[in-house]
Amino acid sequence: MRGSELRGGEPTDEPGTGELRAQLDSYLTGQEDRLIAFRRDIHMHPELGYAEHRTTARIAEELTAAGLSPVPLPKGTGLICEVGCGDGPVVALRADIDALPLADEKDVPYHSTVPGVAHACGHDVHTTIMLGVARFFAQQAEAGQVPGRVRLIFQPAEENPGGALDVMAAGGIAGVDRIFALHCDPRVEVGQVGLRAGPITAACDKVNVRVTGPGGHTARPHLTADLVYALAKIVTELPAALSRRVDPRSSLSLVWGQIAAGSVANAIPDDGVAQGTVRCLDDEAWHSAPDLMKALLDSVATAYDVKAELDYVRGVPPTVNEKTSVDMFRAAVVSVLGDDGVTGTPQSLGGEDFGWYLESIPGALARLGVAAPGMAGAYDLHRGTFDVDEHCIAIGVRVMVATALTALWESRRAGATEPVGEPA
Ligand SMILES: [Zn+2]
Ligand SMILES: [Zn+2]
């Protein structure tokens, strides 16, 4: 992976907060309008996961114009671009670039031009912030002002999901010390960033249980497998047993959404199904869930002499923020936004495929306030009416630049200047 050329060596002293703020102020004075225009262009041309061809081309065009060398991912959408100086520590920043299959209901000039597709999760904003960060570091690298390398990951298909796994398969986080990401949060006002150490989003998997056995007349349940009774036992016993076999702090919960068996009052059917979701905030519990559920299912099914099959469909792991990375986010936010820039954020039971990266390397996801003043909570993600206060773009650039620098300087201080592995 090539980045900008090294010119003028690496900096030896960490710049003070005032110096970084001044650099960002002068950079954003010239860039903010341009970034907003880019966001609106992407917003008007939303593309679904793995179909982000125009979006990828637009990002590549802008990065190339900034003197950088983006590398497309093997499946053709999404790209990775490294910028910085020397062989020092590597910090990755990730933006997702895909849109959602729902109609844009907003009455704005930059309304989606694609029927049934909209940037309703703010990934256009994440993408634009990363572009702003890329251009800033491209300028800084020219002057030898980056204390290491910043890898910018423009990830496809977060909503599908699968994009994070593709990035990892392509070597996208090889050699990376830490990874950071922002996600728009309409419950938080622009100018604030929500932070949380530990789990911030949940795992969400699907389970499908199919039960079979010899049916028959309801007068003679002892001569059949009483399948409806057995299925009802499975549906009530499994969540109850799980709650006693898994640490309650993992918040692992199995909730059924559908159950079906039989057709008439006096016949025991020979098959039935139950479907539900498993949500979980703890990585270890998430990994153990399929085997545990299979064992519990088998024990209940055996007791009632029915056959049970489990189809366990993995979603994404929980995103578990590493504390040191959250501390870096906090220091960075305070340095560019002041103490009032930091706020807490609740655990969400929603899923986010950023969790895949954090299974391999430390990092953190933060919530970027995007609500206009006084409008916190007025809009929600994944709704056709979702929009942001575009001042959040410049704020996001400030926060991500400062976070990357904080992590790079921290790595240098810790002596972690040896490359961990060969980047792709
Ligand atoms: Zn989303
Ligand atoms: Zn999202």
Side-chain angles (χ1 to χ4, degrees), residues 105-119:
E105 295 167 24
K106 302 189 302 297
D107 182 17
V108 292
Y110 50 91
H111 184 279
S112 169
T113 58
V114 185
V117 183
H119 267 296

Side-chain angles (χ1 to χ4, degrees), residues 224-227 229-231 233-234 237 298-307:
T224 71
D226 190 349
L227 195 125
Y229 191 87
L231 183 58
K233 279 287 181 190
I234 287 166
E237 284 297 316
D298 285 346
S299 75
V300 181
T302 304
Y304 294 95
D305 206 20
V306 294
K307 197 170 158 246

Side-chain angles (χ1 to χ4, degrees), residues 96 121 123 126 158-159 183 352 382:
D96 36 16
C121 201
H123 298 185
H126 309 162
E158 191 282 322
E159 302 282 1
H183 200 293
E352 157 65 69
H382 288 217

Side-chain angles (χ1 to χ4, degrees), residues 183-208:
H183 200 293
C184 289
D185 190 342
R187 296 163 305 177
V188 178
E189 285 190 9
V190 69
Q192 286 200 306
V193 177
L195 299 177
R196 173 178 205 91
I200 184 165
T201 66
C204 182
D205 303 334
K206 285 191 186 135
V207 288
N208 190 332

Side-chain angles (χ1 to χ4, degrees), residues 7-233:
R7 300 190 197 161
E10 298 175 38
T12 48
D13 291 318
E14 186 169 359
T17 298
E19 196 182 332
L20 177 61
R21 280 199 196 201
Q23 285 170 350
L24 284 164
D25 283 346
S26 97
Y27 166 73
L28 286 164
T29 303
Q31 285 288 329
E32 190 169 1
D33 290 350
R34 202 174 150 195
L35 289 172
I36 289 172
F38 180 82
R39 181 255 167 167
R40 293 184 177 195
D41 176 57
I42 296 292
H43 196 87
M44 289 173 77
H45 302 92
E47 295 168 306
L48 297 176
Y50 294 123
E52 311 97 328
H53 295 285
R54 181 185 182 278
T55 308
T56 299
R58 287 287 290 115
I59 300 165
E61 188 180 271
E62 297 282 341
L63 293 172
T64 306
L68 301 174
S69 307
V71 179
L73 286 168
K75 286 186 184 168
T77 66
L79 45 85
I80 298 180
C81 183
E82 205 165 275
V83 53
C85 303
D87 293 323
V90 183
V91 167
L93 306 179
R94 174 275 212 163
D96 36 16
I97 66 173
D98 57 326
L100 281 163
L102 53 86
D104 190 340
E105 295 167 24
K106 302 189 302 297
D107 182 17
V108 292
Y110 50 91
H111 184 279
S112 169
T113 58
V114 185
V117 183
H119 267 296
C121 201
H123 298 185
D124 54 330
V125 173
H126 309 162
T127 301
T128 306
I129 289 169
M130 283 276 282
L131 178 61
V133 171
R135 286 207 200 109
F136 178 82
F137 279 127
Q139 282 182 12
Q140 296 290 102
E142 286 276 319
Q145 291 285 312
V146 188
R149 307 188 72 79
V150 182
R151 192 174 302 167
L152 305 153
I153 299 171
F154 292 88
Q155 183 209 298
E158 191 282 322
E159 302 282 1
N160 290 46
L165 294 173
D166 292 336
V167 168
M168 291 166 75
I173 59 167
V176 170
D177 296 325
R178 276 204 160 70
I179 186 165
F180 298 92
L182 287 176
H183 200 293
C184 289
D185 190 342
R187 296 163 305 177
V188 178
E189 285 190 9
V190 69
Q192 286 200 306
V193 177
L195 299 177
R196 173 178 205 91
I200 184 165
T201 66
C204 182
D205 303 334
K206 285 191 186 135
V207 288
N208 190 332
V209 172
R210 183 179 155 82
V211 181
T212 52
H217 201 288
T218 53
R220 291 177 288 280
H222 57 292
L223 299 179
T224 71
D226 190 349
L227 195 125
V228 175
Y229 191 87
L231 183 58
K233 279 287 181 190

Side-chain angles (χ1 to χ4, degrees), residues 161 203-207 278 280 283-291 311-318 356:
C204 182
D205 303 334
K206 285 191 186 135
V207 288
V278 174
C280 182
D283 203 47
E284 205 182 314
W286 181 71
H287 278 284
S288 68
D291 286 348
D311 183 19
Y312 195 106
V313 184
R314 276 286 194 214
V316 294
W356 286 119

